[in-house]
Amino acid sequence: MDLGKHMAVIDIRREHAKSLKSAKSAVEQVANAIAREYNVDHHWSGDDLHFDRSGVKGCIAVAKDAVHVHVELGFVMAALKPVIEREIKRRLDDYMA
């Protein structure tokens, strides 16, 4: 069975005017808030913050002028895509402003 067919994808890009260090700090705050709500583990690898839990995996890539959020939701979590996507966008808007 091809599990890719059952994945819902969230793909968000946000430009920012922050320094790379400040942008990474803001992304860390977003990740911490989401981790508390959805019980998601996360870790940094260079300028990329990776996160996962059962049914969810993804990455927030931080660049000097933008952040790119890519999330893959498994079949069960796909039903929550609109809620999760809205929450990520809201938090990015709050912390990246």
Side-chain angles (χ1 to χ4, degrees), residues 12-46:
I12 303 167
R13 294 180 189 272
R14 284 284 191 280
E15 292 184 359
H16 67 81
K18 295 179 175 289
S19 69
L20 185 60
K21 182 179 179 180
S22 181
K24 285 178 71 173
S25 177
V27 166
E28 180 72 27
Q29 291 177 41
V30 171
N32 286 336
I34 291 172
R36 282 190 301 272
E37 256 179 83
Y38 296 100
N39 195 30
V40 177
D41 294 324
H42 64 280
H43 67 276
W44 285 97
S45 177

Side-chain angles (χ1 to χ4, degrees), residues 1-4 6:
M1 177 187 338
D2 181 8
L3 294 177
H6 300 287

Side-chain angles (χ1 to χ4, degrees), residues 26-87:
V27 166
E28 180 72 27
Q29 291 177 41
V30 171
N32 286 336
I34 291 172
R36 282 190 301 272
E37 256 179 83
Y38 296 100
N39 195 30
V40 177
D41 294 324
H42 64 280
H43 67 276
W44 285 97
S45 177
D47 294 332
D48 297 339
L49 184 138
H50 298 271
F51 53 90
D52 62 89
R53 64 158 272 180
S54 178
V56 178
K57 71 176 180 175
C59 177
I60 304 175
V62 182
K64 65 180 182 174
D65 60 352
V67 295
H68 177 211
V69 180
H70 182 84
V71 183
E72 296 176 356
L73 303 171
F75 180 72
V76 173
M77 295 298 288
L80 296 174
K81 179 185 175 186
V83 173
I84 294 169
E85 186 168 27
R86 184 172 51 248
E87 186 66 16

